[in-house]
Amino acid sequence: MHIHDVDLVHDNHTLPFAGKIKWQEVTDALAEIGYEGDFTFELGGWFTAFPPQLWPDALRMAAKTGRYLMDQIQNA
């Protein structure tokens, strides 16, 4: 499954929590069905909106967000 957020109009491919998807509902539903598959971001260059000097920090934030979502699934 690829994971990204949207504005509910466009297929934005932005970082979760930067759009309109209700991530708690998503993680609860994934936990309910016992999802254990792949969990891959599709960010479409989201981090390139930042100056290149901030790319490492932006990508670390993306990784931390992914870990947070996985934890929410495992702890539900």
Side-chain angles (χ1 to χ4, degrees):
M1 164 185 330
H2 77 266
I3 302 295
H4 61 93
D5 215 329
V6 297
D7 61 9
L8 302 180
V9 176
H10 303 97
D11 194 21
N12 304 93
H13 290 94
T14 191
L15 188 67
F17 303 105
K20 303 282 185 176
I21 292 176
K22 296 177 180 171
W23 290 100
Q24 188 63 55
E25 292 178 14
V26 171
T27 56
D28 288 348
L30 291 172
E32 185 176 323
I33 66 168
Y35 185 77
E36 294 183 3
D38 292 335
F39 193 76
T40 306
F41 280 140
E42 187 171 330
L43 298 179
W46 160 84
F47 66 93
T48 62
F50 295 94
Q53 296 89 338
L54 296 178
W55 290 0
D57 292 324
L59 292 171
R60 277 191 283 281
M61 181 63 179
K64 190 171 184 174
T65 301
R67 283 188 217 99
Y68 173 83
L69 291 171
M70 289 186 292
D71 288 345
Q72 293 302 300
I73 294 167
Q74 292 172 350
N75 294 329

